[in-house]
Amino acid sequence: PDLYQDAFQSKLKDLGVETNLDVLSQNNIPVILDKILKIQQETKAGSKMLQENIDLATIAIDNKDAEALSSIKEHMIALQERINSLEEEVYIDDLTKAYNRKWLFDKILVDDKFEKPGVLTFLDLDKFKVINDTYGHIAGDKVLFLISNVLRKLDGVEVIRFGGDEFIMLSFEKDLEHIESFLTKINEGFKTKSFKFQGHTFKVTLSSGSSNFEA
């Protein structure tokens, strides 16, 4: 998406803001734009394939062609797999590989309510702005990826990047005590280890709160 970069850069110049395309690349802007274009293209191709299969199925039914219907079924299974793969991309946060907020509202909540009871944990990183300001956004991005990786190691828990350095852990399988014990061990581990980035060493810790919820 050089077109988008050029337009973005032009607007920054109009506003008197100095930057460079290397910084934009580091912050994943081209990657996000590429993803949007890919989703559009895949959706268009999927819609075309679906219509073609509907047309073929109509003809096959009229002709009572069992072989053609079997072939169409195989095509539809392949299309469903493509749709599932595309849906996964829509709901995954590019940076952390956790689910995004859209997944939470589209797949879990019904009319902003949970359908069954569970445990919800809200987390954020301590002094994350200091990490970004001191060591740069690349260091901050690596920390977010690390945190997400660690949180996603617990089976029976879904991890959502809610925004910025804020995460949600959602479980319909683990109890509150199990979740809190897991998070305590994580923070204890972080306190004894340091995060290293380009010769710099710093600590990373989490603040969290967990609660049971009813459907």
Side-chain angles (χ1 to χ4, degrees), residues 52-64:
E52 289 173 351
N53 277 281
I54 291 173
D55 294 341
L56 290 172
T58 301
I59 296 171
I61 291 170
D62 290 341
N63 295 333
K64 298 180 180 179

Side-chain angles (χ1 to χ4, degrees), residues 1-12 21 24 29-30 32-38 40-41:
D2 293 335
L3 171 65
Y4 295 102
Q5 288 189 356
D6 291 343
F8 190 72
Q9 190 78 345
S10 175
K11 186 63 177 178
L12 288 175
L21 294 183
L24 297 183
I29 290 177
I32 294 170
L33 294 174
D34 276 336
K35 181 175 179 179
I36 292 171
L37 291 176
K38 179 182 177 182
Q40 290 176 336
Q41 292 165 356

Side-chain angles (χ1 to χ4, degrees), residues 39-147:
I39 290 172
Q40 290 176 336
Q41 292 165 356
E42 287 284 335
T43 302
K44 185 176 180 180
S47 298
K48 182 180 178 181
M49 184 178 176
L50 178 60
Q51 187 58 56
E52 289 173 351
N53 277 281
I54 291 173
D55 294 341
L56 290 172
T58 301
I59 296 171
I61 291 170
D62 290 341
N63 295 333
K64 298 180 180 179
D65 190 336
E67 185 176 343
L69 286 171
S70 177
S71 176
I72 292 168
K73 181 180 179 180
E74 291 179 3
H75 290 161
M76 294 301 287
I77 291 173
L79 177 59
Q80 184 61 55
E81 290 175 351
R82 287 176 60 182
I83 291 172
N84 292 342
S85 176
L86 185 61
E87 184 178 77
E88 189 73 9
E89 289 193 47
V90 170
Y91 290 126
I92 296 296
D93 177 63
D94 285 307
L95 176 61
T96 64
K97 306 307 176 187
Y99 285 114
N100 55 30
R101 183 160 48 183
K102 179 176 175 58
W103 176 85
L104 174 65
F105 287 99
D106 286 359
K107 295 295 184 179
I108 301 299
L109 297 175
V110 177
D111 296 329
D112 294 333
K113 295 180 181 179
F114 292 105
E115 290 190 292
K116 52 185 178 180
V119 178
L120 184 143
T121 302
F122 195 86
L123 315 92
D124 66 0
L125 278 72
D126 299 328
K127 300 179 180 178
F128 183 67
K129 185 177 185 302
V130 175
I131 293 174
N132 271 338
D133 291 347
T134 305
Y135 308 107
H137 287 277
I138 297 179
D141 287 351
K142 289 184 179 295
V143 169
L144 290 174
F145 179 75
L146 167 70
I147 295 299

